[in-house]
Amino acid sequence: MTSPTDLIPEPAYVRRHGTDFWELGPNTGLAVEEGAEPAARWLRSTLGAATGLPLAPASAGGDDVIRLSVQPRPTQGLAAESYQLAVTPRGAHVVGGGPAGLFWGAQTLRQLLGPDAFRRAPLPGRQWRLPLVHVQDSPRFRWRGLMLDVSRHFMPKDGVLRYLDLMAAHKLNVFHFHLTDDQGWRIEIERYPRLTEVGSWRARTKFGHRASPLWEEKPHGGYYTQDDIREIVAYAAERHITVVPEIDVPGHSQAAIAAYPELGNTDVIDTTDLSVWDTWGISPNVLAPTDNTLRFYEGVFEELLELFPSEFVHVGGDECLKDQWRASPTAQARIKELGVGDEDGLQSWFIGHFDKWLTARGRRLIGWDEILEGGLARGAAVSSWRGYEGGITAARAGHDVVMCPEQQVYLDHRQHEGADEPVPIGYVRTLEDVYRFEPVPPALTSAEAAHVLGTQANLWTEVMEGQARVDYQAFPRLSAFAEVAWSDLPAPAERDFDGFERRMVQHYERLDALGVSYRPPAGPLPWQRRPGVLGRPIEGPPPNR
């Protein structure tokens, strides 16, 4: 049993009624009202597995019942993702403003049952008790995201499904799926089979930062079939998580060019010699700004739209090195033909083309803040990663923004300055640093701040060779981030980090039950270290803090 004050993310309102409990047992039923069936299926499968209780169908008016209901009309007071949870001596009632709100309320009920409710099979001798409590809750942001890079190191499908469960347990609701990069193409495109035949694997992999002399001398690869993608999207939807796919253009495209050399700047280099990149950094090999390239990627996006129903489609747009365009007669002629002025204008034209293409099909483009260079594509939203500035500029221009500044919420960055921190990358971002992150820049007016859709934590996997390393970098910081994204916290300096740490004591037990290989508060365990493997230290304090 967990104290109601140990919930993460912290609810808006919690009131405990005395010190008594309602105990669940073999006769506890599940009363499911209209619209609550999906949440009931999830609750019965997860709590049924953890507790061994059948949670058989029951009447809503009886005792010893968990009752699930969806508010029939939004005008009754609860927004779609809001919920109320009441536990009395007779049972529990979870009501959501919509199916998503009911699901988040069910997640809270699971937390209240204690860490063992997060296991996959019952442990002997356990009591299942809920405190008599009233919880009322709603999220601060509509976009509460996690980006997972599966291009640098491939995560098999089961690992992706596991991360969707971890997101759901933290009330995160947007999964940004980074599917393509220089180091690998991870999604089957039926009309272009070489994207996976060639582009989904590399001959070897750099171990550590690109300055490291170490290599893993074996092939690395993998990709998701279209049926895998359909399964992932459906699994996410059952947990009220939207999957936003990313196909990176026009930079970070060496894997695609290796598969189809005609996509590259063939008047500058011999692209037939290219292979999928085996090291880290930014490849100079970018897409050629030709009609052939546009038609090719339109074909890619046509198949993508059939697989992903999300409103947004991410097109990358970051770190496009323009040296080849400067040297390319074809690119220079294109700049002159379009009248876009320079290479930045050419990138803006490239992104703008897909903005219009997606808009015509009822979707919205989102890209990293480099899409601001050369002029912001009309209708596009921005993932602001290079600090706050790109998000501020975009919001002031009336464009929607997802705040994910590298200096605050890039979870591949090191968690401590200690020498034992494995493959130390970038700035030190402690658990407290993440907890004090504020997604809405104070420089924005209230009208401008309304364009901040929400926030997102990013996991770039260059130095995360497997699931345990991803876990280590993500947790416990993702738990702090989830509270920032969900809860209406005070200003960063006024946040009760000591209270959050006290609540984390229970939450570590939940993570243990889920099998998460998080970084312990005392530092990395011996097998979590990577002695002698170079990272990427950055001296001095991070900007925009």
Side-chain angles (χ1 to χ4, degrees):
M1 190 281 303
T2 300
S3 165
T5 59
D6 289 337
L7 297 169
I8 289 179
E10 187 173 32
Y13 173 83
V14 180
R15 184 179 178 186
R16 178 77 187 269
H17 301 288
T19 58
D20 288 341
F21 300 88
W22 169 57
E23 186 168 339
L24 288 69
N27 296 321
T28 299
L30 196 60
V32 184
E33 300 184 8
E34 184 178 356
E37 294 86 355
R41 284 195 298 271
W42 176 85
L43 198 63
R44 189 173 276 121
S45 65
T46 54
L47 286 191
T51 65
L53 302 178
L55 299 177
S59 166
D63 289 346
D64 199 15
V65 166
I66 299 173
R67 178 183 168 199
L68 304 178
S69 57
V70 175
Q71 190 173 260
R73 291 185 301 279
T75 55
Q76 290 182 330
L78 286 179
E81 286 197 280
S82 302
Y83 69 89
Q84 293 180 355
L85 167 61
V87 182
T88 73
R90 298 181 58 195
H93 183 200
V94 189
V95 56
L102 177 61
F103 181 74
W104 305 132
Q107 290 285 359
T108 297
L109 184 145
R110 185 191 192 191
Q111 283 199 21
L112 288 171
L113 280 170
D116 288 337
F118 289 80
R119 297 187 181 276
R120 297 186 183 181
L123 301 182
R126 293 300 191 268
Q127 280 185 307
W128 300 104
R129 303 193 305 172
L130 287 169
L132 306 187
V133 68
H134 180 77
V135 181
Q136 188 162 329
D137 204 7
S138 60
R140 180 183 179 190
F141 293 111
R142 59 172 277 203
W143 186 301
R144 307 181 301 281
L146 173 68
M147 189 227 68
L148 179 64
D149 164 23
V150 295
S151 296
R152 276 49 178 267
H153 278 101
F154 178 66
M155 180 176 285
K157 180 191 68 178
D158 284 353
V160 174
L161 299 179
R162 173 178 176 268
Y163 257 82
L164 291 170
D165 280 330
L166 290 173
M167 289 179 64
H170 289 82
K171 299 184 174 72
L172 298 173
N173 70 339
V174 178
F175 180 55
H176 176 169
F177 207 6
H178 184 81
L179 289 163
T180 73
D181 218 294
D182 297 311
Q183 294 85 4
W185 185 284
R186 304 297 180 211
I187 181 170
E188 178 188 28
I189 302 297
E190 291 178 348
R191 72 188 73 183
Y192 304 129
R194 286 177 59 83
L195 287 172
T196 46
E197 291 172 0
V198 174
S200 70
W201 70 275
R202 55 183 182 263
R204 63 176 187 169
T205 298
K206 175 68 72 172
F207 191 30
H209 182 247
R210 61 180 177 270
S212 167
L214 304 176
W215 295 87
E216 188 179 37
E217 296 286 355
K218 67 177 184 180
H220 176 86
Y223 68 92
Y224 310 101
T225 68
Q226 293 203 355
D227 280 345
D228 290 338
I229 293 293
R230 292 183 181 99
E231 180 183 357
I232 289 167
V233 170
Y235 194 86
E238 289 174 353
R239 288 148 183 80
H240 300 277
I241 297 171
T242 299
V243 183
V244 175
E246 180 182 355
I247 303 293
D248 213 337
V249 296
H252 286 295
S253 298
Q254 183 164 324
I257 298 168
Y260 291 92
E262 66 271 20
L263 296 174
N265 293 283
T266 57
D267 56 348
V268 176
I269 63 163
D270 181 3
T271 55
T272 60
D273 288 339
L274 291 179
S275 59
V276 178
W277 220 22
D278 58 9
T279 190
W280 316 127
I282 309 171
S283 169
N285 296 296
V286 303
L287 298 175
T290 64
D291 289 341
N292 175 65
T293 300
L294 296 181
R295 300 293 88 76
F296 183 96
Y297 274 87
E298 285 171 0
V300 169
F301 283 116
E302 280 176 5
E303 293 195 24
L304 204 75
L305 297 190
E306 293 176 358
L307 297 168
F308 295 93
S310 56
E311 175 187 3
F312 287 97
V313 174
H314 208 290
V315 300
D318 63 318
E319 297 179 326
C320 179
L321 300 181
K322 301 181 175 67
D323 294 344
Q324 290 184 359
W325 286 357
R326 293 186 185 98
S328 164
T330 300
Q332 293 302 310
R334 194 72 166 186
I335 290 171
K336 185 175 180 181
E337 170 199 342
L338 296 169
V340 294
D342 59 13
E343 291 77 21
D344 284 348
L346 191 60
Q347 177 172 342
S348 182
W349 162 81
F350 199 106
I351 296 297
H353 173 85
F354 287 103
D355 179 32
K356 297 182 184 73
W357 190 91
L358 289 166
T359 299
R361 288 156 180 80
R363 306 297 184 93
R364 292 183 65 187
L365 178 145
I366 185 168
W368 303 110
D369 56 47
E370 283 92 333
I371 68 174
L372 293 163
E373 296 169 3
L376 183 63
R378 186 180 63 185
V382 168
S383 300
S384 186
W385 77 274
R386 296 179 300 179
Y388 288 108
E389 204 56 44
I392 292 171
T393 300
R396 286 176 174 168
H399 294 270
D400 289 337
V401 178
V402 175
M403 296 303 301
C404 49
E406 176 184 18
Q407 298 83 0
Q408 278 76 27
V409 289
Y410 269 38
L411 301 186
D412 46 303
H413 285 205
R414 71 182 88 176
Q415 304 189 57
H416 193 273
E417 60 188 9
D420 286 339
E421 207 62 33
V423 199
I425 297 295
Y427 307 110
V428 174
R429 295 288 83 189
T430 66
L431 181 66
E432 182 173 0
D433 289 330
V434 174
Y435 190 68
R436 297 193 187 280
F437 164 58
E438 173 49 49
V440 179
L444 295 179
T445 67
S446 58
E448 293 164 348
H451 286 289
V452 178
L453 299 177
T455 184
Q456 177 174 291
N458 293 342
L459 282 167
W460 300 102
T461 61
E462 287 93 336
V463 299
M464 302 180 211
E465 71 276 10
Q467 178 176 288
R469 281 287 289 123
V470 176
D471 280 4
Y472 179 92
Q473 292 301 133
F475 290 97
R477 293 182 297 181
L478 191 65
S479 302
F481 172 81
E483 184 149 309
V484 169
W486 176 276
S487 305
D488 192 10
L489 298 176
E494 300 169 9
R495 293 178 187 171
D496 182 10
F497 179 68
D498 289 342
F500 175 77
E501 281 196 305
R502 286 193 295 273
R503 286 183 284 123
M504 278 300 300
V505 172
Q506 280 281 333
H507 201 65
Y508 285 122
E509 295 185 30
R510 297 182 194 118
L511 297 179
D512 287 332
L514 288 165
V516 176
S517 300
Y518 58 84
R519 182 190 188 275
L525 299 167
W527 56 87
Q528 293 174 322
R529 300 167 188 159
R530 297 292 184 273
V533 183
L534 290 179
R536 180 173 63 91
I538 297 176
E539 300 298 330
N544 299 312
R545 183 171 179 178

